[in-house]
Amino acid sequence: MSAFSLPRHVAIIMDGNGRWAKNRFMPRAEGHRQGVLALNRVVEHAAEVGIERLTVFAFSSENWRRPGAEVKMLMELFAQSLSRWVKPLNEAGVRLRVIGDLTAFSDKLREAIEFCEKETSHGTRMELNIAANYGGQWDICQAAQKAQVAGETVTPETMKKYLTTADVDLLIRTGGECRISNFLLWQSAYAEIYFDSALWPDYSAKELDAALSWYETRERRFGRTSEQLTSKAS
Ligand code: IPE
Ligand code: IPE
Ligand code: MG
């Protein structure tokens, strides 16, 4: 893989945990637990290949609509995972951040988030953003509100300062659905979008490499013509 065409920011909609479990006559919770293991594999590989920033969708602002028991299970799994991640993330040089509206979370979960963010804050190899209670529309609104409070005119440039994360180069969705589900709406304006039928618990380095190879074949024109890009390169 040439460093030249490696995406700097990869975002992943980790979908398909429930179906993975259902296919095995297991409870959905098992799919989510296996999903965490898939995330661990992908984080390790992304850091190894040199991705600078990885943002993963863990819980959307719409996921509160799920049955109470599933929401509770997901919150517990999140808190437990945060404490387990500190050591391996530090070893891999990965800095963790949680993006989303954290006001909805329990004090205990917010403390676990703060602890993990602080403990991994010196990682310089890769930034891992976990999107939790995240919605792209919320992100845009909170950024516009912050710009307004700071007395700044809302422009694309000022918005960049206040959005939770930077522009995405490669957006991957697993689980076969072809929608964005209110993920990084602003930041995906020019993302290459890759839909993978693999269910998230089955995802590993091999699937990520396939997405990265596909990305390498894309011509990112940003409104220009192909000829303009070719003449610029030569
Ligand atoms: C993604 O898997 C995980 C979360 C949204 C928390 P799903 O739970 O949506 O799995 P499917 O789509 O039902 O298979
Ligand atoms: C999107 O998955 C959110 C996460 C992966 C966390 P969903 O499975 O909730 O998406 P929809 O509602 O089917 O679009
Ligand atoms: Mg789903």
Side-chain angles (χ1 to χ4, degrees):
M1 180 89 40
S2 68
F4 178 69
S5 55
L6 194 66
R8 297 180 66 183
H9 186 183
V10 175
I12 308 180
I13 302 174
M14 309 182 288
D15 196 20
N17 295 352
R19 278 162 286 164
W20 183 93
K22 198 174 173 197
N23 290 344
R24 288 166 178 74
F25 307 100
M26 288 174 173
R28 292 178 62 85
E30 189 52 29
H32 296 312
R33 279 192 284 271
Q34 294 296 323
V36 175
L37 303 183
L39 177 57
N40 296 346
R41 292 193 289 272
V42 167
V43 168
E44 192 185 336
H45 189 60
E48 260 167 26
V49 299
I51 305 295
E52 290 173 29
R53 184 175 280 128
L54 175 68
T55 302
V56 295
F57 209 3
F59 191 87
S60 76
S61 44
E62 288 71 38
N63 286 146
W64 297 107
R65 296 174 185 154
R66 292 193 178 196
E70 181 167 345
V71 170
K72 187 167 175 278
M73 183 271 158
L74 285 167
M75 293 301 144
E76 284 165 4
L77 184 63
F78 187 28
Q80 186 192 77
S81 303
L82 284 163
S83 63
R84 290 184 181 170
W85 280 332
V86 172
K87 194 166 171 271
L89 290 183
N90 273 333
E91 281 167 6
V94 177
R95 176 171 76 256
L96 179 139
R97 286 175 63 226
V98 177
I99 59 170
D101 182 2
L102 306 190
T103 59
F105 293 148
S106 67
D107 289 347
K108 199 171 147 240
L109 181 52
R110 281 210 301 270
E111 279 162 26
I113 290 170
E114 211 179 297
F115 179 76
C116 194
E117 286 184 338
K118 194 165 151 273
E119 290 293 311
T120 63
S121 61
H122 300 296
T124 52
R125 199 162 172 212
M126 186 176 84
E127 179 179 284
L128 170 65
N129 295 314
I130 308 279
N133 192 23
Y134 179 89
Q137 293 173 344
W138 165 84
D139 198 357
I140 293 167
C141 292
Q142 66 82 30
Q145 281 160 10
K146 280 185 183 150
Q148 266 181 336
V149 169
E152 297 181 49
T153 311
V154 174
T155 64
E157 287 68 37
T158 55
M159 288 289 284
K160 269 192 176 180
K161 288 204 306 202
Y162 297 109
L163 286 159
T164 54
T165 189
D167 284 352
V168 171
D169 298 305
L170 171 63
L171 172 64
I172 299 168
R173 180 172 187 141
T174 67
E177 305 290 358
C178 299
R179 55 179 177 251
I180 296 183
S181 301
N182 197 17
F183 195 28
L184 298 158
L185 298 180
W186 181 290
Q187 295 91 334
S188 298
Y190 260 104
E192 303 297 332
I193 308 185
Y194 183 86
F195 297 104
D196 194 328
S197 59
L199 303 174
W200 179 250
D202 289 328
Y203 208 83
S204 65
K206 183 171 143 271
E207 283 75 19
L208 181 59
D209 281 343
L212 294 174
S213 296
W214 173 83
Y215 177 86
E216 213 171 14
T217 66
R218 299 295 92 203
E219 182 180 62
R220 305 195 74 198
R221 293 190 283 275
F222 296 99
R224 295 182 186 86
T225 65
S226 189
E227 290 69 24
Q228 282 177 297
L229 297 181
T230 322
S231 65
K232 209 172 144 201
S234 63

